[in-house]
Amino acid sequence: MSVAALLSASPPDRLAAQDTSAIDRGVRIGITYRPGVRPGLVVLGGRAAALDSARTIVTRDLDYSDRFELITLPGSDSIHVTAAPTAAARGVPGTGSGKTGAGGGPTGLNYPLYQALGADFAVAFTLAAGDTTVLTVHDIAVGAVRRELRARLPALGDPGFRMAVHRLTDRVLDATLGAPGIAGTRVLFVMEGKVYTIDQDGADRRLVSSSDHEAMSPAWAQDGRRFSYMEFWQGHGRLFVQDVATGKRTPVPTTGQALDFTPAFSPDGKTLAFSRATEEGTDIYTVNIKDGCCLQRLTVGRFYDNLSPTYSPDGQRIAFVSTRAGLPQIYAMAADGTDQQLFAPFDYGATGSSNAPEWSPDGQAVAFHRDVGGTLQVFVLDVRTRAVRQLTSVGRNEDPTWAPDSRHMAFVSDRSGYRQLWIIDLETGRIRPLLQQSGARLPAWSPRLPETASSTP
Protein backbone atom coordinates (compact mmCIF):
# COMPACT_ATOMS: atom_id res chain seq x y z
CA MET A 1 0.00 0.00 0.00
CA SER A 2 1.31 3.46 -0.89
CA VAL A 3 2.14 6.11 1.70
CA ALA A 4 -0.62 8.29 0.27
CA ALA A 5 -3.14 5.53 0.84
CA LEU A 6 -1.91 5.00 4.36
CA LEU A 7 -2.20 8.71 5.06
CA SER A 8 -5.78 8.83 3.81
CA ALA A 9 -6.83 5.87 5.85
CA SER A 10 -4.50 6.48 8.22
CA PRO A 11 -7.79 -4.54 28.60
CA PRO A 12 -9.27 -8.08 29.07
CA ASP A 13 -12.16 -8.43 31.48
CA ARG A 14 -12.43 -4.70 31.95
CA LEU A 15 -13.19 -4.21 28.25
CA ALA A 16 -16.39 -6.19 28.29
CA ALA A 17 -18.75 -3.88 26.41
CA GLN A 18 -19.12 -3.87 22.64
CA ASP A 19 -20.89 -1.55 20.24
CA THR A 20 -24.11 -3.19 19.15
CA SER A 21 -26.43 -0.26 18.45
CA ALA A 22 -26.97 1.54 15.19
CA ILE A 23 -27.69 4.92 16.75
CA ASP A 24 -26.57 6.95 19.73
CA ARG A 25 -28.36 5.85 22.88
CA GLY A 26 -28.74 9.43 24.00
CA VAL A 27 -28.48 11.04 27.39
CA ARG A 28 -29.96 8.74 29.99
CA ILE A 29 -31.27 10.79 32.88
CA GLY A 30 -33.98 9.67 35.26
CA ILE A 31 -34.77 7.76 38.41
CA THR A 32 -33.48 4.49 37.01
CA TYR A 33 -30.80 3.62 39.56
CA ARG A 34 -30.30 -0.11 39.94
CA PRO A 35 -28.51 -1.08 43.15
CA GLY A 36 -25.20 -2.77 42.52
CA VAL A 37 -24.75 -1.28 39.05
CA ARG A 38 -23.97 2.42 39.30
CA PRO A 39 -24.55 4.81 42.21
CA GLY A 40 -27.41 7.26 41.88
CA LEU A 41 -26.56 10.94 41.95
CA VAL A 42 -28.68 14.08 42.04
CA VAL A 43 -27.41 17.58 41.24
CA LEU A 44 -29.10 20.34 43.23
CA GLY A 45 -29.18 23.93 42.06
CA GLY A 46 -28.57 27.00 44.15
CA ARG A 47 -30.71 30.09 44.28
CA ALA A 48 -28.21 32.23 42.36
CA ALA A 49 -28.82 32.52 38.62
CA ALA A 50 -25.07 32.82 38.12
CA LEU A 51 -24.72 29.15 39.04
CA ASP A 52 -27.03 27.90 36.28
CA SER A 53 -24.35 27.60 33.59
CA ALA A 54 -21.87 25.89 35.94
CA ARG A 55 -24.52 23.49 37.16
CA THR A 56 -25.53 22.61 33.57
CA ILE A 57 -21.93 21.85 32.61
CA VAL A 58 -21.24 19.79 35.74
CA THR A 59 -24.45 17.79 35.28
CA ARG A 60 -23.57 16.97 31.68
CA ASP A 61 -20.00 16.07 32.65
CA LEU A 62 -21.20 13.71 35.37
CA ASP A 63 -23.56 12.04 32.92
CA TYR A 64 -20.80 11.69 30.32
CA SER A 65 -18.53 10.12 32.94
CA ASP A 66 -20.79 7.04 32.69
CA ARG A 67 -20.21 6.32 36.38
CA PHE A 68 -23.59 7.41 37.79
CA GLU A 69 -27.29 7.12 37.23
CA LEU A 70 -28.36 10.76 37.23
CA ILE A 71 -31.65 11.38 39.02
CA THR A 72 -34.03 14.21 38.20
CA LEU A 73 -36.39 15.36 40.91
CA PRO A 74 -40.15 15.53 40.27
CA GLY A 75 -41.46 19.05 40.02
CA SER A 76 -38.36 20.78 41.35
CA ASP A 77 -34.61 20.60 41.27
CA SER A 78 -34.38 20.73 45.06
CA ILE A 79 -36.47 19.14 47.79
CA HIS A 80 -36.17 20.34 51.37
CA VAL A 81 -38.49 18.37 53.58
CA THR A 82 -38.19 18.46 57.36
CA ALA A 83 -37.08 15.14 58.73
CA ALA A 84 -35.65 13.79 61.94
CA PRO A 85 -31.93 14.51 62.27
CA THR A 86 -29.65 11.68 61.27
CA ALA A 87 -26.92 10.29 63.47
CA ALA A 88 -24.41 12.38 61.55
CA ALA A 89 -26.44 15.52 62.12
CA ARG A 90 -26.45 14.82 65.89
CA GLY A 91 -22.67 14.58 65.78
CA VAL A 92 -22.42 10.84 66.37
CA PRO A 93 -18.74 9.89 65.94
CA GLY A 94 -17.84 7.98 62.79
CA THR A 95 -20.89 9.02 60.79
CA GLY A 96 -19.45 11.98 58.91
CA SER A 97 -19.41 15.71 59.31
CA GLY A 98 -21.58 17.00 62.11
CA LYS A 99 -22.25 20.28 60.30
CA THR A 100 -24.99 18.77 58.16
CA GLY A 101 -28.28 17.17 58.89
CA ALA A 102 -31.49 15.92 57.36
CA GLY A 103 -33.94 18.74 57.45
CA GLY A 104 -32.89 20.04 60.83
CA GLY A 105 -29.21 20.60 59.96
CA PRO A 106 -27.75 23.72 58.39
CA THR A 107 -28.18 22.31 54.88
CA GLY A 108 -31.81 21.26 55.38
CA LEU A 109 -31.17 18.26 53.15
CA ASN A 110 -33.57 15.39 53.67
CA TYR A 111 -31.25 12.40 53.37
CA PRO A 112 -33.93 9.69 53.85
CA LEU A 113 -35.99 11.18 51.03
CA TYR A 114 -33.07 11.26 48.60
CA GLN A 115 -32.17 7.73 49.60
CA ALA A 116 -35.73 6.66 48.81
CA LEU A 117 -35.36 8.26 45.39
CA GLY A 118 -32.35 6.04 44.72
CA ALA A 119 -29.59 8.58 45.30
CA ASP A 120 -26.26 7.62 46.80
CA PHE A 121 -24.80 11.11 46.38
CA ALA A 122 -26.07 14.65 46.03
CA VAL A 123 -24.12 17.65 44.76
CA ALA A 124 -25.40 21.07 45.80
CA PHE A 125 -24.32 24.43 44.35
CA THR A 126 -24.12 27.60 46.46
CA LEU A 127 -22.32 30.94 46.32
CA ALA A 128 -20.10 32.05 49.19
CA ALA A 129 -18.56 35.41 49.98
CA GLY A 130 -16.22 36.78 47.35
CA ASP A 131 -18.09 35.08 44.47
CA THR A 132 -16.70 31.70 45.48
CA THR A 133 -18.62 28.76 44.06
CA VAL A 134 -19.15 26.01 46.60
CA LEU A 135 -20.02 22.44 45.64
CA THR A 136 -21.16 20.41 48.63
CA VAL A 137 -20.90 16.68 48.02
CA HIS A 138 -23.36 14.78 50.23
CA ASP A 139 -23.09 11.08 51.05
CA ILE A 140 -26.77 10.15 51.21
CA ALA A 141 -26.32 6.74 52.85
CA VAL A 142 -24.18 8.16 55.65
CA GLY A 143 -26.32 11.28 55.93
CA ALA A 144 -23.42 13.71 55.95
CA VAL A 145 -21.28 15.98 53.85
CA ARG A 146 -18.47 14.01 52.27
CA ARG A 147 -16.55 17.00 50.91
CA GLU A 148 -16.91 20.70 50.26
CA LEU A 149 -15.29 21.96 47.07
CA ARG A 150 -14.56 25.65 46.61
CA ALA A 151 -13.45 27.50 43.47
CA ARG A 152 -13.26 31.06 42.20
CA LEU A 153 -14.62 30.60 38.70
CA PRO A 154 -13.74 33.03 35.90
CA ALA A 155 -16.51 35.21 34.53
CA LEU A 156 -19.06 33.42 32.35
CA GLY A 157 -17.66 34.91 29.14
CA ASP A 158 -14.03 34.22 30.06
CA PRO A 159 -12.27 31.65 27.80
CA GLY A 160 -11.22 29.73 30.90
CA PHE A 161 -14.71 29.45 32.43
CA ARG A 162 -15.72 26.11 30.94
CA MET A 163 -12.43 24.37 31.72
CA ALA A 164 -12.56 25.63 35.31
CA VAL A 165 -16.04 24.11 35.67
CA HIS A 166 -14.86 20.86 34.07
CA ARG A 167 -12.14 20.62 36.69
CA LEU A 168 -14.80 21.00 39.39
CA THR A 169 -16.55 17.96 37.92
CA ASP A 170 -13.33 15.95 38.14
CA ARG A 171 -13.06 16.91 41.80
CA VAL A 172 -16.61 15.59 42.32
CA LEU A 173 -15.56 12.26 40.79
CA ASP A 174 -12.63 12.09 43.18
CA ALA A 175 -14.79 13.05 46.17
CA THR A 176 -17.52 10.49 45.46
CA LEU A 177 -15.80 7.47 43.93
CA GLY A 178 -12.10 8.21 44.23
CA ALA A 179 -12.01 7.84 40.45
CA PRO A 180 -10.11 10.04 38.00
CA GLY A 181 -12.33 12.22 35.83
CA ILE A 182 -11.97 13.18 32.19
CA ALA A 183 -14.05 16.37 32.16
CA GLY A 184 -10.96 18.60 32.19
CA THR A 185 -9.71 17.36 28.83
CA ARG A 186 -9.89 18.30 25.16
CA VAL A 187 -9.76 16.45 21.86
CA LEU A 188 -7.68 17.59 18.90
CA PHE A 189 -8.96 16.67 15.44
CA VAL A 190 -8.51 17.54 11.78
CA MET A 191 -11.20 19.09 9.61
CA GLU A 192 -10.76 20.57 6.14
CA GLY A 193 -7.01 20.44 6.53
CA LYS A 194 -6.87 22.35 9.82
CA VAL A 195 -6.35 21.23 13.42
CA TYR A 196 -9.07 22.10 15.91
CA THR A 197 -9.65 21.41 19.58
CA ILE A 198 -12.92 20.74 21.35
CA ASP A 199 -13.93 20.08 24.96
CA GLN A 200 -14.79 16.46 25.77
CA ASP A 201 -18.47 17.42 26.07
CA GLY A 202 -18.55 18.63 22.46
CA ALA A 203 -18.47 22.38 23.17
CA ASP A 204 -16.01 25.22 22.58
CA ARG A 205 -14.46 24.24 19.25
CA ARG A 206 -11.39 26.32 18.36
CA LEU A 207 -8.89 26.45 15.50
CA VAL A 208 -5.34 25.86 16.79
CA SER A 209 -3.21 25.30 13.68
CA SER A 210 -2.10 27.82 11.09
CA SER A 211 -4.71 28.89 8.56
CA ASP A 212 -2.06 29.12 5.81
CA HIS A 213 -1.05 25.46 5.45
CA GLU A 214 -2.85 22.14 5.40
CA ALA A 215 -2.27 20.22 8.65
CA MET A 216 -2.80 16.70 9.98
CA SER A 217 -1.59 14.14 12.55
CA PRO A 218 -2.17 16.00 15.86
CA ALA A 219 -0.71 14.45 19.03
CA TRP A 220 -0.55 15.51 22.69
CA ALA A 221 2.41 15.61 25.04
CA GLN A 222 1.72 13.77 28.29
CA ASP A 223 2.01 16.93 30.38
CA GLY A 224 -0.94 18.48 28.52
CA ARG A 225 1.03 21.66 27.92
CA ARG A 226 2.05 21.00 24.31
CA PHE A 227 0.87 19.25 21.21
CA SER A 228 2.42 18.47 17.84
CA TYR A 229 1.13 18.19 14.29
CA MET A 230 2.35 18.14 10.69
CA GLU A 231 1.93 20.86 8.09
CA PHE A 232 2.52 20.55 4.35
CA TRP A 233 5.23 22.96 3.15
CA GLN A 234 6.21 22.94 -0.53
CA GLY A 235 5.48 19.26 -0.92
CA HIS A 236 7.15 18.28 2.34
CA GLY A 237 5.76 17.54 5.77
CA ARG A 238 7.10 19.75 8.57
CA LEU A 239 6.43 18.97 12.23
CA PHE A 240 5.59 21.64 14.79
CA VAL A 241 5.31 21.64 18.57
CA GLN A 242 2.84 24.18 19.93
CA ASP A 243 2.41 25.53 23.45
CA VAL A 244 -1.17 25.30 24.66
CA ALA A 245 -1.20 28.36 26.90
CA THR A 246 0.55 30.83 24.61
CA GLY A 247 -0.13 29.40 21.16
CA LYS A 248 3.55 29.73 20.28
CA ARG A 249 4.66 27.04 17.86
CA THR A 250 8.16 25.84 17.12
CA PRO A 251 9.30 23.81 14.10
CA VAL A 252 10.83 20.46 15.02
CA PRO A 253 14.53 20.33 14.06
CA THR A 254 15.55 18.05 11.15
CA THR A 255 11.97 17.87 9.79
CA GLY A 256 10.50 19.51 6.69
CA GLN A 257 12.94 18.19 4.07
CA ALA A 258 10.92 15.01 3.51
CA LEU A 259 7.34 13.92 4.21
CA ASP A 260 7.40 13.78 8.03
CA PHE A 261 4.11 12.91 9.74
CA THR A 262 2.35 11.07 12.63
CA PRO A 263 4.36 12.57 15.53
CA ALA A 264 4.24 10.93 18.97
CA PHE A 265 5.71 12.30 22.21
CA SER A 266 7.67 10.06 24.52
CA PRO A 267 6.14 9.99 28.04
CA ASP A 268 8.90 12.22 29.42
CA GLY A 269 8.28 14.76 26.65
CA LYS A 270 11.93 14.89 25.57
CA THR A 271 11.67 12.83 22.41
CA LEU A 272 9.38 12.97 19.40
CA ALA A 273 8.94 9.84 17.28
CA PHE A 274 7.54 10.28 13.78
CA SER A 275 7.22 8.72 10.34
CA ARG A 276 9.38 9.85 7.42
CA ALA A 277 8.50 8.97 3.82
CA THR A 278 11.20 9.17 1.16
CA GLU A 279 11.79 7.53 -2.21
CA GLU A 280 13.34 4.62 -0.33
CA GLY A 281 10.21 3.95 1.73
CA THR A 282 8.69 5.05 5.04
CA ASP A 283 10.46 4.59 8.35
CA ILE A 284 10.21 5.66 11.98
CA TYR A 285 12.65 8.18 13.40
CA THR A 286 13.10 9.94 16.73
CA VAL A 287 14.48 13.38 17.50
CA ASN A 288 15.44 14.96 20.82
CA ILE A 289 13.14 18.00 20.94
CA LYS A 290 14.45 19.07 24.33
CA ASP A 291 17.95 19.70 22.97
CA GLY A 292 17.03 20.05 19.29
CA CYS A 293 19.33 17.28 18.13
CA CYS A 294 20.10 13.63 17.76
CA LEU A 295 17.98 12.33 14.88
CA GLN A 296 17.81 8.53 15.11
CA ARG A 297 16.38 6.03 12.63
CA LEU A 298 14.56 3.12 14.30
CA THR A 299 13.40 1.08 11.30
CA VAL A 300 14.94 0.28 7.91
CA GLY A 301 12.14 -0.76 5.59
CA ARG A 302 13.64 -0.58 2.09
CA PHE A 303 10.88 -2.63 0.48
CA TYR A 304 8.09 -1.90 3.00
CA ASP A 305 6.70 0.94 5.12
CA ASN A 306 6.88 1.58 8.87
CA LEU A 307 4.78 4.38 10.34
CA SER A 308 2.37 5.65 13.04
CA PRO A 309 4.46 5.18 16.21
CA THR A 310 2.85 5.24 19.68
CA TYR A 311 4.76 4.97 22.96
CA SER A 312 3.85 2.72 25.87
CA PRO A 313 3.20 4.77 29.04
CA ASP A 314 6.51 3.67 30.57
CA GLY A 315 8.38 4.76 27.45
CA GLN A 316 10.02 1.36 27.00
CA ARG A 317 8.23 0.24 23.84
CA ILE A 318 6.74 1.64 20.65
CA ALA A 319 3.84 0.12 18.75
CA PHE A 320 3.69 0.98 15.06
CA VAL A 321 2.33 -0.03 11.65
CA SER A 322 4.43 -2.06 9.22
CA THR A 323 3.74 -3.56 5.80
CA ARG A 324 6.52 -6.16 6.12
CA ALA A 325 3.91 -8.95 6.19
CA GLY A 326 2.17 -7.56 3.09
CA LEU A 327 -0.81 -5.59 4.33
CA PRO A 328 -0.25 -3.06 7.13
CA GLN A 329 -0.32 -4.68 10.58
CA ILE A 330 0.49 -3.65 14.17
CA TYR A 331 4.05 -4.33 15.33
CA ALA A 332 6.01 -3.38 18.44
CA MET A 333 9.67 -2.70 19.23
CA ALA A 334 11.85 -1.43 22.02
CA ALA A 335 12.14 2.36 22.19
CA ASP A 336 15.63 2.14 20.64
CA GLY A 337 14.34 0.21 17.61
CA THR A 338 15.45 -3.29 18.67
CA ASP A 339 13.28 -6.38 19.16
CA GLN A 340 10.78 -5.68 16.37
CA GLN A 341 7.94 -8.20 16.25
CA LEU A 342 4.31 -8.65 15.27
CA PHE A 343 2.15 -7.30 18.09
CA ALA A 344 -1.50 -7.75 17.10
CA PRO A 345 -2.23 -11.21 15.64
CA PHE A 346 -4.36 -11.41 12.51
CA ASP A 347 -5.86 -14.07 10.25
CA TYR A 348 -4.77 -14.17 6.62
CA GLY A 349 -7.86 -13.83 4.44
CA ALA A 350 -10.21 -13.16 7.36
CA THR A 351 -9.03 -9.69 8.28
CA GLY A 352 -7.31 -6.99 6.25
CA SER A 353 -4.98 -4.12 6.98
CA SER A 354 -4.55 -2.65 10.48
CA ASN A 355 -3.70 1.01 11.13
CA ALA A 356 -3.70 3.91 13.62
CA PRO A 357 -2.50 2.20 16.84
CA GLU A 358 -2.65 4.07 20.14
CA TRP A 359 -1.42 2.72 23.47
CA SER A 360 -3.83 3.18 26.38
CA PRO A 361 -2.70 5.46 29.24
CA ASP A 362 -2.81 2.56 31.72
CA GLY A 363 -0.56 0.48 29.45
CA GLN A 364 -2.94 -2.48 29.30
CA ALA A 365 -4.24 -2.15 25.76
CA VAL A 366 -3.58 -0.83 22.27
CA ALA A 367 -6.49 0.40 20.16
CA PHE A 368 -6.38 0.41 16.36
CA HIS A 369 -8.67 0.02 13.37
CA ARG A 370 -8.73 -2.97 11.04
CA ASP A 371 -10.37 -3.80 7.73
CA VAL A 372 -13.10 -6.39 8.21
CA GLY A 373 -15.14 -7.41 5.20
CA GLY A 374 -14.31 -4.25 3.31
CA THR A 375 -15.04 -1.78 6.10
CA LEU A 376 -12.99 -0.48 9.02
CA GLN A 377 -13.74 -1.40 12.64
CA VAL A 378 -12.07 -0.47 15.94
CA PHE A 379 -10.21 -3.25 17.76
CA VAL A 380 -8.52 -3.49 21.15
CA LEU A 381 -5.39 -5.54 21.75
CA ASP A 382 -4.74 -6.83 25.28
CA VAL A 383 -1.03 -6.18 25.76
CA ARG A 384 -0.52 -9.02 28.25
CA THR A 385 -2.37 -11.82 26.48
CA ARG A 386 -2.12 -10.51 22.90
CA ALA A 387 -5.83 -11.22 22.50
CA VAL A 388 -7.56 -9.00 19.95
CA ARG A 389 -11.21 -8.03 20.32
CA GLN A 390 -13.46 -6.15 17.93
CA LEU A 391 -15.08 -3.16 19.63
CA THR A 392 -17.35 -1.67 16.94
CA SER A 393 -19.60 -3.25 14.37
CA VAL A 394 -21.96 -0.57 13.02
CA GLY A 395 -20.78 1.47 10.04
CA ARG A 396 -17.20 2.42 9.26
CA ASN A 397 -15.15 3.14 12.41
CA GLU A 398 -11.53 4.30 12.54
CA ASP A 399 -8.80 6.39 14.22
CA PRO A 400 -9.43 5.47 17.89
CA THR A 401 -7.89 7.60 20.66
CA TRP A 402 -7.95 6.94 24.41
CA ALA A 403 -9.24 9.22 27.13
CA PRO A 404 -6.84 9.52 30.10
CA ASP A 405 -9.04 7.15 32.15
CA SER A 406 -8.36 4.29 29.68
CA ARG A 407 -12.09 3.69 29.80
CA HIS A 408 -13.45 6.07 27.17
CA MET A 409 -12.39 6.32 23.55
CA ALA A 410 -13.06 8.79 20.75
CA PHE A 411 -13.15 7.61 17.15
CA VAL A 412 -14.44 8.51 13.70
CA SER A 413 -17.58 6.78 12.45
CA ASP A 414 -20.13 7.13 9.66
CA ARG A 415 -22.81 5.23 11.61
CA SER A 416 -25.14 8.22 11.37
CA GLY A 417 -24.71 8.50 7.60
CA TYR A 418 -21.67 10.77 7.54
CA ARG A 419 -18.22 10.83 9.14
CA GLN A 420 -18.21 12.45 12.57
CA LEU A 421 -16.57 12.08 15.98
CA TRP A 422 -18.06 9.71 18.56
CA ILE A 423 -17.17 8.62 22.09
CA ILE A 424 -17.67 5.13 23.50
CA ASP A 425 -17.54 4.01 27.13
CA LEU A 426 -15.82 0.63 27.10
CA GLU A 427 -17.43 -0.38 30.41
CA THR A 428 -21.06 0.00 29.34
CA GLY A 429 -20.87 0.27 25.55
CA ARG A 430 -22.70 3.60 25.62
CA ILE A 431 -21.93 5.71 22.53
CA ARG A 432 -22.49 9.43 22.09
CA PRO A 433 -21.54 11.93 19.38
CA LEU A 434 -18.72 14.31 20.23
CA LEU A 435 -18.98 16.49 17.14
CA GLN A 436 -21.97 16.10 14.85
CA GLN A 437 -20.47 18.14 12.02
CA SER A 438 -19.29 16.07 9.06
CA GLY A 439 -15.68 15.74 7.98
CA ALA A 440 -13.78 15.38 11.27
CA ARG A 441 -10.92 12.88 11.37
CA LEU A 442 -7.72 11.91 13.21
CA PRO A 443 -8.82 12.71 16.79
CA ALA A 444 -6.28 12.86 19.64
CA TRP A 445 -7.58 12.93 23.24
CA SER A 446 -5.56 15.02 25.69
CA PRO A 447 -4.34 14.00 29.12
CA ARG A 448 -5.89 15.87 32.04
CA LEU A 449 -4.99 19.47 31.34
CA PRO A 450 -3.07 21.43 33.98
CA GLU A 451 -4.46 24.78 35.07
CA THR A 452 -1.59 26.68 33.49
CA ALA A 453 -2.62 25.20 30.14
CA SER A 454 -6.27 26.16 30.49
CA SER A 455 -6.31 28.68 27.68
CA THR A 456 -6.17 27.69 24.04
CA PRO A 457 -5.40 30.03 21.14
Side-chain angles (χ1 to χ4, degrees):
M1 180 177 291
S2 68
V3 172
L6 290 172
L7 287 174
S8 63
S10 28
D13 295 335
R14 177 172 56 82
L15 307 178
Q18 184 173 358
D19 164 29
T20 56
S21 62
I23 59 173
D24 175 36
R25 299 174 186 175
V27 177
R28 300 170 296 170
I29 300 179
I31 306 175
T32 58
Y33 170 65
R34 291 169 293 169
V37 179
R38 293 191 296 180
L41 183 143
V42 59
V43 180
L44 308 175
R47 299 183 182 276
L51 296 176
D52 287 346
S53 294
R55 178 187 176 229
T56 298
I57 294 172
V58 168
T59 302
R60 183 167 58 241
D61 286 345
L62 290 172
D63 177 50
Y64 287 169
S65 76
D66 295 302
R67 296 181 183 274
F68 303 98
E69 292 289 348
L70 295 193
I71 297 170
T72 54
L73 301 177
S76 173
D77 65 352
S78 182
I79 301 177
H80 297 281
V81 179
T82 302
T86 62
R90 296 192 300 268
V92 176
T95 59
S97 172
K99 63 182 178 181
T100 63
T107 64
L109 203 63
N110 190 322
Y111 290 115
L113 176 59
Y114 287 110
Q115 189 172 21
L117 292 173
D120 295 271
F121 302 102
V123 178
F125 281 75
T126 55
L127 275 179
D131 294 328
T132 298
T133 298
V134 180
L135 266 68
T136 305
V137 180
H138 297 267
D139 188 322
I140 301 301
V142 174
V145 169
R146 172 168 288 203
R147 196 171 302 174
E148 192 175 82
L149 310 174
R150 292 176 173 264
R152 291 287 298 275
L153 297 178
L156 182 59
D158 189 288
F161 173 78
R162 301 192 84 260
M163 189 54 63
V165 176
H166 289 321
R167 291 193 180 97
L168 269 180
T169 303
D170 288 340
R171 293 172 65 187
V172 171
L173 262 292
D174 180 66
T176 53
L177 304 178
I182 59 170
T185 62
R186 290 193 174 107
V187 178
L188 293 167
F189 64 94
V190 174
M191 179 178 286
E192 298 177 348
K194 303 293 183 291
V195 178
Y196 293 83
T197 183
I198 194 170
D199 287 6
Q200 54 75 38
D201 63 351
D204 199 21
R205 186 181 73 171
R206 305 180 189 182
L207 174 68
V208 294
S209 67
S210 167
S211 59
D212 299 328
H213 298 273
E214 186 173 354
M216 64 177 296
S217 305
W220 286 94
Q222 289 306 302
D223 60 7
R225 302 178 187 276
R226 299 169 296 161
F227 57 87
S228 180
Y229 54 91
M230 180 270 270
E231 283 190 355
F232 288 103
W233 285 66
Q234 299 177 344
H236 301 301
R238 178 180 294 182
L239 301 181
F240 289 86
V241 172
Q242 185 161 319
D243 183 82
V244 172
T246 66
K248 179 182 178 180
R249 64 187 203 142
T250 304
V252 176
T254 74
T255 69
Q257 301 304 310
L259 180 58
D260 299 325
F261 58 105
T262 61
F265 287 89
S266 62
D268 63 9
K270 298 179 180 179
T271 302
L272 196 71
F274 61 94
S275 310
R276 170 169 289 178
T278 66
E279 294 180 354
E280 300 177 355
T282 304
D283 280 295
I284 295 174
Y285 290 73
T286 60
V287 61
N288 184 326
I289 55 175
K290 181 178 183 293
D291 300 323
C293 70
C294 313
L295 181 70
Q296 182 180 0
R297 185 176 183 177
L298 301 188
T299 65
V300 182
R302 294 193 178 92
F303 301 108
Y304 52 85
D305 294 319
N306 303 280
L307 66 157
S308 301
T310 175
Y311 278 93
S312 62
D314 61 8
Q316 298 300 306
R317 305 177 74 192
I318 295 175
F320 64 101
V321 173
S322 180
T323 63
R324 64 190 65 185
L327 292 175
Q329 298 297 336
I330 308 302
Y331 283 72
M333 61 182 167
D336 62 359
T338 60
D339 191 27
Q340 299 183 20
Q341 58 182 281
L342 180 68
F343 202 24
F346 63 98
D347 298 323
Y348 286 101
T351 57
S353 60
S354 301
N355 280 286
E358 182 170 296
W359 217 302
S360 65
D362 64 7
Q364 296 183 20
V366 172
F368 60 96
H369 68 242
R370 172 174 283 178
D371 188 322
V372 180
T375 189
L376 300 181
Q377 301 296 340
V378 175
F379 284 73
V380 174
L381 165 72
D382 184 299
V383 171
R384 183 180 61 85
T385 66
R386 302 290 181 90
V388 173
R389 186 175 66 83
Q390 184 174 336
L391 185 65
T392 62
S393 57
V394 179
R396 175 189 174 101
N397 306 274
E398 56 192 309
D399 297 329
T401 178
W402 294 95
D405 63 356
S406 298
R407 166 173 173 157
H408 291 83
M409 184 187 296
F411 61 100
V412 177
S413 178
D414 66 356
R415 63 186 55 224
S416 62
Y418 55 90
R419 289 161 58 92
Q420 66 186 80
L421 297 180
W422 294 77
I423 289 177
I424 183 170
D425 171 29
L426 275 68
E427 293 283 349
T428 65
R430 178 191 180 187
I431 297 176
R432 63 176 174 91
L434 173 63
L435 178 67
Q436 297 190 1
Q437 186 174 350
S438 176
R441 57 194 297 258
L442 301 173
W445 205 319
S446 77
R448 295 176 186 88
L449 298 175
E451 293 193 23
T452 54
S454 60
S455 61
T456 303

